[in-house]
Amino acid sequence: MPRPAAAALTISDEERYELSQLVGIRKVPQSVGLRARIVLGAAEGVGNKVLARQLETSVPTVLLWRLRFEEARGIG
């Protein structure tokens, strides 16, 4: 039986703006840009598998950064 899709992350307008800024800066390390893209995609409701495929990373990486973002905000 398939698992239900993960719920979209809820992020504030300020968080969305800051993450979007990180994605757009050329000198930001690729790893930081990837993390920002993961959180932004999760906030848009993109499924973990789809997001991993789109960003050419693994599902465990997507899950890790979703969890870390939630924990940093005191959600998880």
Side-chain angles (χ1 to χ4, degrees):
M1 180 174 205
R3 291 182 177 172
L9 285 178
T10 302
I11 62 175
S12 69
D13 291 338
E14 183 179 332
E15 289 170 326
R16 186 179 305 278
Y17 176 78
E18 290 177 14
L19 292 166
S20 296
Q21 292 298 309
L22 283 175
V23 168
I25 298 172
R26 288 182 174 218
K27 292 190 178 187
V28 169
Q30 285 184 345
S31 60
V32 174
L34 175 63
R35 295 169 193 165
R37 285 181 180 89
I38 288 170
V39 173
L40 287 169
E44 301 229 348
V46 178
N48 295 328
K49 287 182 183 179
V50 174
L51 194 53
R53 195 169 34 252
Q54 287 175 348
L55 297 176
E56 298 179 358
T57 191
S58 67
V59 172
T61 297
V62 170
L63 295 172
L64 172 71
W65 289 106
R66 280 183 64 116
L67 179 63
R68 286 192 179 171
F69 182 80
E70 289 173 338
E71 287 176 345
R73 294 169 62 214
I75 295 172

